[in-house]
Amino acid sequence: YKSKVLEWGQINKKSVVFNLTSSEGKDHEKQYTIELLVEAEKRYQGVGTSIKRAEEIASKIAYKEIIIS
């Protein structure tokens, strides 16, 4: 989903930015929270056990909302 959202942003000339907003827990049990910003306005959030996983979750939510609908 991440690559599809980034591709959509390039095609539509929209900025798509991922920000790490928090990481909690012990080193072997970390939970990362990523915020995906589209045009510095729309915010989608993903939480996962890795930064990559959290980005994918945020991308999936954004994909379903802005690309499919």
Side-chain angles (χ1 to χ4, degrees), residues 19-24 31-35 45-48 54:
N19 292 322
L20 175 65
T21 57
S22 72
S23 62
E24 299 173 350
Q31 286 284 335
Y32 297 94
T33 303
I34 294 288
E35 183 177 66
Q45 195 173 64
V47 178

Side-chain angles (χ1 to χ4, degrees), residues 2 4-5 8 10 13-14 16 20-21 27 32 36 41-42 45-46 49 52-54 56 59 61 65 67-69:
K2 181 178 177 182
K4 291 178 182 182
V5 170
W8 172 87
Q10 289 178 338
K13 296 181 173 47
K14 306 274 186 189
V16 176
L20 175 65
T21 57
D27 286 343
Y32 297 94
L36 187 159
E41 295 175 1
K42 290 191 177 183
Q45 195 173 64
T49 54
K52 184 177 180 178
R53 181 72 183 129
E56 273 296 310
S59 297
I61 294 165
E65 188 172 312
I67 298 174
I68 293 179
S69 55

Side-chain angles (χ1 to χ4, degrees), residues 51-64:
I51 293 172
K52 184 177 180 178
R53 181 72 183 129
E55 287 175 343
E56 273 296 310
I57 292 168
S59 297
K60 186 175 184 178
I61 294 165
Y63 179 82
K64 287 180 177 181

